[in-house]
């Protein structure tokens, strides 16, 4: 946590002055807990959904023909966006203007107005482009409050930009998880019981719970299901959501366990998943709003050439390299948040869309322009999109793969209302010079939000609403060095209507790169002596680079979800980061015959497991 802020009229002088600060700490004699040890005390999180159960898991396991049970771990990981967090603050009397790199200008506006006791309308936050976030810029952190406070004290504008080193300690990370999955199946491979427990490290006073067990409640048909999530308090910084939260770590464990069950029963991993496809939500009994996982599995398997696989471990080789093929299913929850948009058309046909959202790098302004032009029947190049300012119609966070659904639906509603106004004027087409009256323009403002009864995250109370995918990976393992390389990957996704196929494919390939990082590279090691993460920059925290990314074959199956929203679309930004880690781990087992249940699987881990000679 920050203990001081040093101000100067130049970067070099500020850094020099900060280097003169020395801190003395009192010895509280309280035991310090840095390590996330397996026997650490687990506590039920206060803000997380309660444990969930259905049926008798003990009886289902006792009746099973085959039972597999194993513990899997995922590592601490950091978001590492291209642009570090940075804030500029200026006071004009009691009015505060902030330029910030945040995933929600509205949430930042609310936090600052509350902290400084000024009216909500007296705070203006501007952030058109985030520069990458992946979850770490979804919260309001101390540096933002300190910047505004320093500007108020000095009466001058203040700019504070975190260094890359500070990004590893000051704005969250994905916490390490320890998960145990137990599966029971009958002689035909149909599940008789599923138990999934998870615990993650949290800060001493925090309550962040990684919902790693969530997908286990809706993925596979089972008469008995039990999920439990816990946290372990440590003297570490507070974790935060990170692309992809919950299902990212959780599906690594579940899909690894499903692969272990496939080998234990002698059933092909794809066939095992098909045999356990549910007709309705296994836990709640609700109908699925749409579910095209079967199509993803079959089409991806065919494109990958899965039928040519020899299932025996260590049975495929190319010289000194062991070849492994693995697969996994993917899924993400569907979050839906309200938004408002304003659409204006000028007499010359120029269209302007305004919304207080922000661009995180997914191409949202282009999606907005596409939606508006499609409704109004104009060229997308004629549409101007204004965003990233709290003085525009409000929208919620750019997080949870929710922006296209929320903002896009609001734009659709406003453009549709504007189209009706044009019809009332007898205007058709977009060449209507002089027909819009003395003002010379016409506009409409409208909002959209999930249906009444949805929870705070916009989850439906009527339908089980999720996105799905199937990931197939080929790895090459050096039998002498233990080095794992991903040679190729095929992935198919069902995520509602795809508004912009180009940016959608970019999201999925980027997500697959995240999955490769989870499986093979990313690990924020913690120093128990100094009480901080070892990494100071990207030299110590390894992320995939172009040379690590193979040929990626990505496709979408037709999936229009009328229950998600008026566009029939659902979120995709995080789905691509789910499933790839498990598919790679399963491929490593197929290549080596050794099951690695902890990620990342670096050279040391592969050699220690005896997976190479």
């Amino acid at each position: 946590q920050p203990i001081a802020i040093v101000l100067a009229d130049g970067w070099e002088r500020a850094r020099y002055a900060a280097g003169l600060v020395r801190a003395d700490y009192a010895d509280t004699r309280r035991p310090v807990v840095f390590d996330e040890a397996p026997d650490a005390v687990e506590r039920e999180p206060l803000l997380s959904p309660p444990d969930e159960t259905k049926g008798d898991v003990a009886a289902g396991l006792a009746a099973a023909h085959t039972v597999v049970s194993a513990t899997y771990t995922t590592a601490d990981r950091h978001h590492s966006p291209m642009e570090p967090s940075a804030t500029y603050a200026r006071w004009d009397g009691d009015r505060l203007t902030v330029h910030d790199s945040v995933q929600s200008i509205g949430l930042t506006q609310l936090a600052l107005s509350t902290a400084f006791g000024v009216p909500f309308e007296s705070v203006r936050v501007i952030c058109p482009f985030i520069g990458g976030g992946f979850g770490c810029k979804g919260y309001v952190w101390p540096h933002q409050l300190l910047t505004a406070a320093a500007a108020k004290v000095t009466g001058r504008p203040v700019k504070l930009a975190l260094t890359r080193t500070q990004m590893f300690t000051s704005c969250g990370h994905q916490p390490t998880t320890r998960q145990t999955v137990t599966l029971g199946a009958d002689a035909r491979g149909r599940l008789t019981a599923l138990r999934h427990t998870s615990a993650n490290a949290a800060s001493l006073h925090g309550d962040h719970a990684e919902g790693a067990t969530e997908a286990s409640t809706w993925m596979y048909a089972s008469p008995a299901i039990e999920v439990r999530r816990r946290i372990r308090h440590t003297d570490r910084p507070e974790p935060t959501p990170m692309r992809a939260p919950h299902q990212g770590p959780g599906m690594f464990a579940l899909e690894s366990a499903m692969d272990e069950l496939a080998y234990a029963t002698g059933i092909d991993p794809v066939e095992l998943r098909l045999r356990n496809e549910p007709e309705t939500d296994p836990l709640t009994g609700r109908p699925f709003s749409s579910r095209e996982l079967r199509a993803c599995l079959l089409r991806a398997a065919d494109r990958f050439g899965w039928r040519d696989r020899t299932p025996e471990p260590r049975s495929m080789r190319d010289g000194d390299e062991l070849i492994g093929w693995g697969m996994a299913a993917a899924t993400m929850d569907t979050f839906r948040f309200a938004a408002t948009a304003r659409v204006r058309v000028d007499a010359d046909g120029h269209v302007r869309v305004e919304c207080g959202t922000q661009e995180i790098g997914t191409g949202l302004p282009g999606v907005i322009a596409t939606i508006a032009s499609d409704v109004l029947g104009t060229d997308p190049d004629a549409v101007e999109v204004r965003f990233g300012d709290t003085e525009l119609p409000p929208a919620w966070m750019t997080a949870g793969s929710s922006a296209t659904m929320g903002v896009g639906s609001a734009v659709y509603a406003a453009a549709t209302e504007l189209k009706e106004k044009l019809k009332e004027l007898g205007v058709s087409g977009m060449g209507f010079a002089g027909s819009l009256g003395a003002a010379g323009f016409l506009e409409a403002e409208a909002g959209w939000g999930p249906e009444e009864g949805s929870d705070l995250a916009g989850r439906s109370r009527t339908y089980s609403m999720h996105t799905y995918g199937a990931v197939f990976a080929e790895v090459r393992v050096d039998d002498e060095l233990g080095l794992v390389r991903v040679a190729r990957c095929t992935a198919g996704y069902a995520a509602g209507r795809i508004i912009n196929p180009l940016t959608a494919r970019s999201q999925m390939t980027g997500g697959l790169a995240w999955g490769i990082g989870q499986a093979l590279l990313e690990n924020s090691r913690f120093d128990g002596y100094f009480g901080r993460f070892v990494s100071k920059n990207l030299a110590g925290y390894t992320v995939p680079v172009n040379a690590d990314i193979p040929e990626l074959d990505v496709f979408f199956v037709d999936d229009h979800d009328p229950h998600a929203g008026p566009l029939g679309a659902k979120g995709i930004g995080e789905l691509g980061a789910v499933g790839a880690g498990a598919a790679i781990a399963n491929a490593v087992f197929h290549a080596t015959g050794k099951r690695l249940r902890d990620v990342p699987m670096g050279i040391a881990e592969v050699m220690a497991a005896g997976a190479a000679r």
Side-chain angles (χ1 to χ4, degrees), residues 365-514:
V367 171
I368 291 173
T370 298
I371 294 170
S373 65
D374 186 54
V375 173
L376 297 173
T378 187
D379 191 320
D381 291 337
V383 179
E384 173 194 359
V385 181
R386 294 185 60 205
F387 55 97
D389 192 328
T390 52
E391 294 192 343
L392 300 175
W396 188 233
M397 300 177 70
T398 302
S401 305
S402 63
T404 294
M405 270 187 299
V407 174
S409 295
V411 171
Y412 177 85
T416 300
E417 185 175 321
L418 178 60
K419 186 176 181 180
E420 291 302 314
K421 288 185 176 182
L422 291 170
K423 284 184 179 180
E424 292 174 4
L425 293 175
V427 176
S428 61
M430 299 304 290
F432 29 72
S435 59
L436 298 182
F441 69 89
L442 195 65
E443 68 179 22
E445 184 171 323
W448 177 87
E451 64 277 1
E452 186 176 353
S454 300
D455 69 10
L456 293 176
R459 297 184 185 93
S460 172
R461 301 289 191 185
T462 306
Y463 295 95
S464 183
M465 190 176 295
H466 315 284
T467 54
Y468 301 94
V471 184
F472 290 74
E474 176 184 315
V475 301
R476 302 291 182 104
V477 182
D478 190 302
D479 202 15
E480 297 286 344
L481 300 178
L483 176 65
V484 180
R485 291 280 193 188
V486 181
R488 63 189 179 98
C489 183
T490 297
Y493 299 100
R497 176 189 170 199
I498 302 302
I499 305 297
N500 187 321
L502 183 64
T503 57
R505 185 183 185 279
S506 176
Q507 284 297 291
M508 309 324 285
T509 56
L512 289 171
W514 278 69

Side-chain angles (χ1 to χ4, degrees), residues 244-295:
H246 312 319
Q247 283 77 64
M251 286 294 283
F252 165 72
L254 178 61
E255 290 303 286
S256 295
M258 286 293 287
D259 197 67
E260 297 204 42
L261 182 62
Y263 277 95
T265 58
I267 301 172
D268 179 84
V270 175
E271 177 61 26
L272 179 68
R273 287 163 175 80
L274 294 174
R275 292 185 187 184
N276 286 283
E277 261 292 278
E279 294 296 325
T280 59
D281 187 292
L283 184 71
T284 66
R286 294 172 186 157
F288 292 107
S289 61
S290 71
R291 182 177 171 115
E292 296 294 337
L293 177 57
R294 180 180 295 271

Side-chain angles (χ1 to χ4, degrees), residues 117-171:
V118 298
F120 184 73
E121 299 77 13
S122 296
V123 178
R124 182 184 182 186
V125 180
I126 301 170
C127 176
F129 299 101
I130 300 172
F134 316 115
C136 71
K137 297 177 183 177
Y139 285 39
V140 176
W141 298 101
H143 72 270
Q144 294 159 285
L145 301 175
L146 289 171
T147 304
K152 191 171 185 65
V153 168
T154 61
R156 297 177 60 179
V158 171
K159 179 178 71 174
L160 193 157
L162 297 187
T163 64
R164 181 61 63 182
T165 299
Q166 291 167 339
M167 289 293 292
F168 279 92
T169 57
S170 303
C171 51

Side-chain angles (χ1 to χ4, degrees), residues 186-344:
D186 62 21
R188 299 185 59 196
R190 299 187 186 276
L191 292 176
T192 61
L194 187 160
R195 178 185 289 131
H196 187 175
T197 65
S198 175
N200 65 264
S203 66
L204 192 64
H205 302 289
D207 195 66
H208 177 79
E210 197 73 42
T213 63
E214 290 181 356
S216 293
T217 67
W218 72 70
M219 274 302 289
Y220 298 115
S222 175
I225 298 174
E226 176 186 324
V227 298
R228 186 186 72 185
R229 55 188 71 87
R230 296 289 185 268
I231 60 175
R232 294 168 174 162
H233 287 298
T234 64
D235 290 281
R236 296 190 185 202
E238 175 67 357
T240 55
M242 173 174 156
R243 183 194 193 192
H246 312 319
Q247 283 77 64
M251 286 294 283
F252 165 72
L254 178 61
E255 290 303 286
S256 295
M258 286 293 287
D259 197 67
E260 297 204 42
L261 182 62
Y263 277 95
T265 58
I267 301 172
D268 179 84
V270 175
E271 177 61 26
L272 179 68
R273 287 163 175 80
L274 294 174
R275 292 185 187 184
N276 286 283
E277 261 292 278
E279 294 296 325
T280 59
D281 187 292
L283 184 71
T284 66
R286 294 172 186 157
F288 292 107
S289 61
S290 71
R291 182 177 171 115
E292 296 294 337
L293 177 57
R294 180 180 295 271
C296 293
L297 288 166
L298 294 176
R299 286 184 56 186
D302 184 61
R303 290 170 69 132
F304 186 79
W306 184 256
R307 68 175 66 89
D308 298 327
R309 166 182 174 266
T310 58
E312 295 77 19
R314 298 186 70 93
S315 62
M316 299 172 65
R317 178 185 288 271
D318 181 9
D320 292 333
E321 291 184 323
L322 301 170
I323 301 174
W325 288 6
M327 60 80 53
T331 189
M332 270 299 295
D333 211 345
T334 298
F335 303 107
R336 300 178 299 164
F337 300 111
T340 310
R342 183 166 51 238
V343 182
R344 164 177 164 162

Side-chain angles (χ1 to χ4, degrees), residues 43-68:
R43 296 179 175 86
E44 187 171 355
L46 298 175
L47 304 179
S48 177
D51 300 341
E52 296 173 295
T53 60
K54 169 197 171 183
D56 190 332
V57 170
L61 294 175
H65 179 271
T66 304
V67 175
V68 298

